[in-house]
Amino acid sequence: MAVSTETLPARCRHRFPIFGQRIYINSCAQGALSDAVRGAYEQYLRDWDEYGAPWEYWVDRGEAARASFAALIGAAPDEVAVTTSESAGVASLASGLRFARRSKVVLTDWEFPTIGQIWHAQEARGARVLHVPAAEDGTMPIEHFERVIDDDTLLVAITHVCYRNGAMSDVRAAVDLAHERGAFVLLDAYQSIGSLPVDVKELDVDFLGAGVLKYLLGSAGLGFFYCRRGLVEKVWPTATGWFADKNIFEMDHTDYSPATTASRFQSGTPPIPAIYAGIAGMELMKEIGIAETREHVLELNAHLIDGLDELEAKLVTPREPGRRGALICVKSKDVRALVAALEDDGIVTSERDSNLRISAHAYNGMEDVDAVLESLRRHRELLA
Ligand SMILES: Cc1ncc(COP(=O)(O)O)c(C=O)c1O
């Protein structure tokens, strides 16, 4: 699929007003606001104004969001829970597991804090949590998984693309090993979803969590949780709420009968405003093209890495295109000062650890990468 780096931003950049003010290259933190998402929020307010409490329609919007996300990851809608964050879905899963027969949960050291914190919280319920360390060269070799995954392992949590260094996990290798040893796999796809194609059947993961506020162009307040169909009824969430019930509108407070679908990982009232926005963001991203965006961003990042090499900057992200997501990380001596210096030059980026994070998306062009490189050249003393 040949996508010119000119045509993709030309097709969609005008829909993101921020580019009239500044260069936005920070989608690993938050996607830029589009006219579609703004329009969706305005529509929510109009509907509220006009109809008062159109709950049937709002519940139907939740179903539309579920179907849209399911289609994105190659799942069926009944395998997807609509949540208020990725954490909410993962916490619901954790609350429903028992650690009696198998007690170990294995996590990589690339996990987002929420994943580590949720599983460590289960230590109070009998879980033993072990970490898979990264290698010196910044990779997460399969041998490191081999050392900790055994027949006492209940679940292995891996992240698709690391939020701190942009490295992409070899999901299939970890999944095959975990399954061979009888463990489930949870994939955190927050840093990959919307930036590259994600297919749960191809990756063969059992559970997946994500949200819409980064490369899916939605806003805070909406997450999704996928559970492989055959596993749904094996998990009995104890962190729950009425939108997880088998029959929500029965309004039965005398019993707990969770849904027989992945809705059992839901909780209370769905985040309707964020659902309007999330649908708009996901649909816009599908219209722009996620596979095309992946190709486009790989081209931009090849140019970015060449420029960083010329500056003799320390790249933290793997060089090999297949081993990284959309995010490129560069070591800095004073990363807060560097982000502020870029901001003064009209460029929005972010930081984690001591790394500057530069994350291009469909709306960014070569001129944005050149502007970043030019600014970094001016602030060379802040690079490590
Ligand atoms: C990899 C990753 N996982 C999870 C999250 C956040 O998840 P939640 O929706 O629970 O806030 C983020 C957000 O920054 C992330 O980058």
Side-chain angles (χ1 to χ4, degrees), residues 28 85-88 112 114 159 161 163 188 190-191 214 352:
C28 64
S85 65
E86 174 173 343
S87 305
F112 193 76
T114 206
T159 196
V161 173
Y163 76 104
D188 177 354
Y190 217 139
Q191 285 291 338
K214 301 172 193 293
R352 284 284 183 269

Side-chain angles (χ1 to χ4, degrees), residues 339-350:
V339 169
L342 284 154
E343 179 89 50
D344 286 345
D345 288 344
I347 301 168
V348 184
T349 56
S350 55

Side-chain angles (χ1 to χ4, degrees), residues 194-228:
S195 78
L196 50 89
V198 174
D199 186 311
V200 285
K201 302 282 146 52
E202 233 170 68
L203 296 171
D204 203 24
V205 294
D206 303 296
F207 309 104
L208 175 147
V212 294
L213 70 79
K214 301 172 193 293
Y215 300 96
L216 285 179
L217 307 177
S219 76
L222 177 63
F224 293 98
F225 181 76
Y226 159 83
C227 174
R228 187 199 287 279

